[in-house]
Amino acid sequence: MASPLDDVLRAAESMTWSRLGDRPLCDACLGRLAGRAGHGLTNPERGRAIRARFAIPAPAGCWLCGGLLDEVGKFADLAADKLGPWEFTTFLVGSKVDPEVVAREEGLWAELGATQPEAIKSEVNREVGKRLSMRLGKEADLARPEVVAIVDTAFDSVDVQVNPLFFRGRYRKLARGIPQTRWPCRRCRGKGCEHCGGKGKMYETSVEEVVAAAVMAQTGGSGHALHGMGREDVDARMLGRGRPFVVEVKEPRRRTVDLEAVARLVNASGSVEVEGLRLAGVEDVVAIKEDRVAKTYRVLVRFGSPVEDGKLQDAVASLVGRPIAQRTPVRVSHRRADRTRERVVTGIEVVTSDGATTELRVTAEAGTYIKELVHGDGGRTTPSLAGALGVTCEVVELDVLEVRDAGT
Ligand SMILES: [Zn+2]
Ligand SMILES: [Zn+2]
């Protein structure tokens, strides 16, 4: 069986070394020209074997990297300093190599006819990564690093990119008048103006802010986002088992979080409760955004004129199990495209009715506009409860009782 060095020399034999001329190459740059041959070797080992075989003189400097590969230890030190303030267990090293170096390298591949070269960028990443791993006692993780140190060889600098921290759980919203996410003032876009009383937002707080504040008290971070499995109206409560969500903390300083303490702090707010908090990943955000699950609502309706029980039962039955055509409601038309969609209501139960008001339990497909299903939105939703009854119907209260997902 051929040894790894034989593989390297075979790759090198197919190259035209005379074209190298008097350009000096360091061992690493020489070896990297056959860097994808000979498993398990370092590039300097490859380079020394090639130098001996083809009688390539030992260099004073290196035409290709200009001594860059002697500096990987310095870059590892720089990266370790920059990563100092951040708590993490996994990392990745990336690099921006001086474009002139890359151009020289790629030109040399073509001139010499290199068929198995390795790019200098991957050598820098790997060598800095190895030293950093030893120095920090932490693992490099190519797929999902918590932090990425990006070495810029042209400027001798290291930038740190800190990946977000994710938690998932379910929330209940016990009070009305709270949006799910922070709602920036449209007029000033968050800067603060007369319209928003200088707060930069339209509501005092949001589910997002209550939950994120509790998490960020422990993690620190530069910002947050809340991703919900759908959202309820600002004036609707979210009850029952709550709504699945993922909260994202941007650039967290710390990643060790006492989730029970987070839950206690949120639950003490009186307006929002959370349960089932656990660590999550970016894939949970995708899953939660794609989930199109049915919901069950409690709706309190006031009639414009008295409605008999029998008539109400008939009207309710006529809405179930058939397509409801909903043109984009007037109340959201300023921010959503005007189009007509069909949704199906799978169940409506009359819980109470006294002729003037009724409380309904409505179960409907994801994306059904429940208020419009009741009042008809001036004929933009058909059929509707108001249309079926022939009286005006006003939604007095709306609550989400159940988000019918399979998860916990
Ligand atoms: Zn070199
Ligand atoms: Zn404003």
Side-chain angles (χ1 to χ4, degrees):
M1 209 181 85
S3 76
L5 273 180
D6 293 334
D7 291 340
V8 171
L9 293 172
R10 194 173 316 115
E13 265 156 24
S14 72
M15 295 165 62
T16 315
W17 291 102
S18 59
R19 292 193 191 141
L20 181 59
D22 57 3
R23 290 172 287 187
L25 293 183
C26 69
D27 287 342
C29 286
L30 188 57
R32 210 169 53 256
L33 290 167
R36 288 189 288 128
H39 184 72
L41 298 171
T42 66
N43 283 327
E45 284 168 344
R46 290 184 182 92
R48 284 190 287 274
I50 294 171
R51 194 181 302 285
R53 168 66 67 93
F54 299 94
I56 298 166
C62 181
W63 167 81
L64 206 171
C65 73
L68 171 59
L69 292 170
D70 297 329
E71 297 179 27
V72 288
K74 183 188 76 184
F75 288 126
D77 290 346
L78 263 175
D81 281 354
K82 280 291 184 79
L83 290 170
W86 308 94
E87 182 190 330
F88 63 94
T89 50
T90 60
F91 71 93
L92 181 64
V93 173
S95 58
K96 292 180 194 153
V97 175
D98 192 336
E100 288 178 19
V101 173
V102 174
R104 282 200 291 275
E105 175 171 74
E106 291 176 356
L108 198 57
W109 295 347
E111 280 183 73
L112 304 187
T115 54
Q116 292 175 276
E118 186 193 21
I120 189 166
K121 181 186 171 76
S122 29
E123 180 161 17
V124 170
N125 292 352
R126 183 179 59 245
E127 294 303 317
V128 175
K130 268 198 272 185
R131 283 163 180 77
L132 201 52
S133 182
M134 295 223 294
R135 183 168 164 163
L136 300 170
K138 292 172 182 174
E139 291 297 312
D141 182 340
L142 270 56
R144 296 179 56 169
E146 291 173 343
V147 294
V148 182
I150 299 156
V151 174
D152 189 327
T153 70
F155 294 96
D156 268 8
S157 64
V158 174
D159 279 333
V160 167
Q161 171 195 314
V162 177
N163 287 330
L165 183 60
F166 298 95
F167 299 95
R168 60 178 303 172
R170 304 183 75 103
Y171 76 80
R172 279 183 290 276
K173 190 174 94 187
L174 307 176
R176 303 182 196 284
I178 300 175
Q180 183 187 63
T181 54
R182 190 177 185 276
W183 193 321
C185 171
R186 212 172 295 131
R187 210 163 286 180
C188 66
R189 296 175 188 280
K191 283 195 283 265
C193 67
E194 248 174 62
H195 182 60
C196 58
K199 290 193 285 287
K201 54 188 179 179
M202 298 312 294
Y203 294 89
E204 199 61 48
T205 189
S206 60
V207 174
E208 174 185 351
E209 287 161 280
V210 173
V211 176
V215 175
M216 288 180 72
Q218 293 187 44
T219 61
S222 61
H224 50 72
L226 184 139
H227 312 278
M229 190 182 281
R231 63 167 67 203
E232 65 284 341
D233 291 337
V234 172
D235 58 0
R237 294 182 296 179
M238 178 65 239
L239 305 173
R241 293 189 310 135
R243 184 186 297 274
F245 71 94
V246 175
V247 67
E248 174 179 354
V249 178
K250 292 170 183 163
E251 302 186 293
R253 287 276 166 176
R254 292 168 297 279
R255 290 176 181 267
T256 311
V257 180
D258 179 350
L259 290 171
E260 286 181 23
V262 169
R264 275 197 301 277
L265 199 56
V266 173
N267 296 351
S269 70
S271 52
V272 180
E273 289 181 355
V274 287
E275 63 180 56
L277 285 183
R278 57 201 152 92
L279 265 177
V282 67
E283 67 281 0
D284 292 293
V285 176
V286 177
I288 224 161
K289 286 288 174 200
E290 282 175 353
D291 218 328
R292 307 282 298 154
V293 299
K295 324 267 184 332
T296 298
Y297 302 84
R298 169 184 169 273
V299 197
L300 189 61
V301 181
R302 184 183 297 135
F303 301 125
S305 52
V307 172
E308 283 171 21
D309 227 30
K311 196 176 165 194
L312 178 60
Q313 293 290 354
D314 289 349
V316 157
S318 76
L319 299 173
V320 174
R322 55 177 286 196
I324 310 285
Q326 299 202 292
R327 190 173 158 197
T328 302
V330 171
R331 67 187 165 96
V332 300
S333 59
H334 61 278
R335 57 189 162 92
R336 298 229 175 120
D338 186 11
R339 61 196 181 97
T340 300
R341 311 177 307 170
E342 288 191 344
R343 291 290 185 274
V344 174
V345 174
T346 54
I348 305 182
E349 181 197 341
V350 177
V351 180
T352 62
S353 172
D354 61 10
T357 60
T358 182
E359 184 183 324
L360 306 175
R361 288 275 181 289
V362 179
T363 299
E365 269 188 294
T368 308
Y369 293 111
I370 299 300
K371 289 174 179 168
E372 285 68 23
L373 172 73
V374 171
H375 62 59
D377 202 21
R380 293 162 73 102
T381 287
T382 51
S384 68
L385 183 63
L389 289 171
V391 304
T392 59
C393 294
E394 180 197 348
V395 176
V396 181
E397 288 179 3
L398 177 65
D399 297 314
V400 185
L401 296 182
E402 173 100 65
V403 176
R404 298 188 165 271
D405 66 306
T408 51

